Amino acid sequence: MILVDCRSKYSWDTATSLHIHLESTRGMNHLPTIYQNSDIKFRQQASLKEKFDDGYQKCLLRFSIQDELQPLMSLKSSKEYAQAFYDVVQCHHWGWKYPRILHRDISIGNIMVREKDRQKYGVLIDWDLVIWFDERKEGSTSKFRTGTKPYMAHEQHSSDWQGPHRFRHDLESVFYVILLLVSLYSSPTEKVRFPSTGDHRYEEWHEQGDCFLEGRKLVIVHAGNWQPFPEPFFSGFTLWLITLQDFFFRGFIDLGNHRHAAKRPLKPGRRLRKFS
């Protein structure tokens, strides 16, 4: 017997071709299995698009039938969580390497679990906000920012950010999913009630706006001696978080040096390297 899950949601009108692609990936353990989907478009949007042009992006109502998955919080051990996060990163890398897409909305709600042959796999769902890597445009995210705020990359909270969505933004989202999970939950079913370390619990991240979140995340990714405070159940993630944060810290130092060098005149015979 195959258990299925029926879903409906509003999606960007540009997501149709991706769902067609995902339908051909049945059997991949880290992607949702889509058996059927259909879209309902709204005729009234044509006049809105004509009136606002690039200031309006069409949406549609999508119905899909997928295999039944379990929520991330159904896992029982920190080892199972570690495997689920590893699976999701591998799935994201597959999406970037082969269909050449970026997810743009990695959050704790978009990571689910498939149980198959007594094994549990992390599954990255909700690919409706993806962008095709080769079709990114500078400035595209300034009008239509995507993501779930507590897990968005720090740059995307700034009104000054004009660049396209990048690979590193999705990886930063994975980092925040892990950070908030291990800091806010004492076990998969028990949320911390009486935080003893104040800001380290990140509870406010679910309530505050862009300015607050940008500031807090900026401090984390640019800190030279940052330390996480996971709950004892998730203590095994301490080294993971320290290592991931160090990657971001070093990466942004190198990016800053590159931008600084790009503003200086080049010596004769030297060529400036380009970074994506």
Side-chain angles (χ1 to χ4, degrees), residues 10-205:
Y10 288 102
S11 303
W12 296 124
D13 197 11
T14 55
T16 304
S17 56
L18 175 67
H19 268 261
I20 294 173
H21 183 88
L22 289 181
E23 284 181 347
S24 67
T25 61
R26 295 180 186 178
M28 293 186 65
N29 290 324
H30 311 314
L31 284 169
T33 299
I34 301 175
Y35 296 108
Q36 185 67 46
N37 74 77
S38 60
D39 301 330
I40 297 178
K41 297 185 178 182
F42 303 100
R43 296 180 181 178
Q44 296 86 346
Q45 292 187 101
S47 59
L48 292 172
K49 181 66 176 177
E50 182 179 350
K51 182 176 181 179
F52 295 105
D53 195 22
D54 290 339
Y56 180 81
Q57 186 168 354
K58 293 181 180 180
C59 295
L60 51 80
L61 182 61
R62 166 163 290 133
F63 296 90
S64 63
I65 300 177
Q66 307 176 16
D67 60 329
E68 186 177 55
L69 302 171
Q70 302 301 317
L72 181 64
M73 304 306 288
S74 66
L75 297 176
K76 304 300 183 183
S77 69
S78 59
K79 184 177 180 180
E80 288 181 340
Y81 280 95
Q83 184 63 55
F85 289 128
Y86 177 83
D87 292 343
V88 164
V89 171
Q90 294 298 308
C91 180
H92 177 265
H93 183 263
W94 170 88
W96 168 78
K97 187 174 182 179
Y98 294 106
R100 300 289 287 170
I101 53 178
L102 295 175
H103 188 278
R104 298 204 299 171
D105 190 19
I106 296 178
S107 67
I108 196 168
N110 285 340
I111 298 175
M112 299 195 74
V113 177
R114 171 181 285 120
E115 189 165 357
K116 180 180 177 182
D117 300 328
R118 297 185 178 181
Q119 296 290 326
K120 294 182 179 180
Y121 302 91
V123 181
L124 185 57
I125 68 167
D126 216 346
W127 293 78
D128 296 285
L129 296 179
V130 301
I131 188 170
W132 298 94
F133 191 84
D134 297 328
E135 296 178 2
R136 298 179 308 163
K137 296 179 180 179
E138 295 293 330
S140 62
T141 57
S142 61
K143 292 182 179 178
F144 304 107
R145 295 176 187 273
T146 62
T148 304
K149 283 193 174 183
Y151 312 105
M152 288 167 58
H154 74 283
E155 288 174 310
Q156 295 174 299
H157 293 292
S158 173
S159 58
D160 295 330
W161 172 249
Q162 298 297 317
H165 192 96
R166 298 189 184 278
F167 185 88
R168 72 170 184 267
H169 292 147
D170 280 352
L171 295 187
E172 194 174 335
S173 292
V174 174
F175 171 73
Y176 295 135
V177 170
I178 298 173
L179 176 61
L180 268 63
L181 170 69
V182 305
S183 302
L184 288 170
Y185 287 86
S186 56
S187 72
T189 58
E190 196 85 21
K191 199 166 186 179
V192 176
R193 293 186 179 182
F194 304 105
S196 59
T197 51
D199 292 342
H200 297 301
R201 298 298 178 171
Y202 310 104
E203 185 66 47
E204 293 179 296
W205 285 30

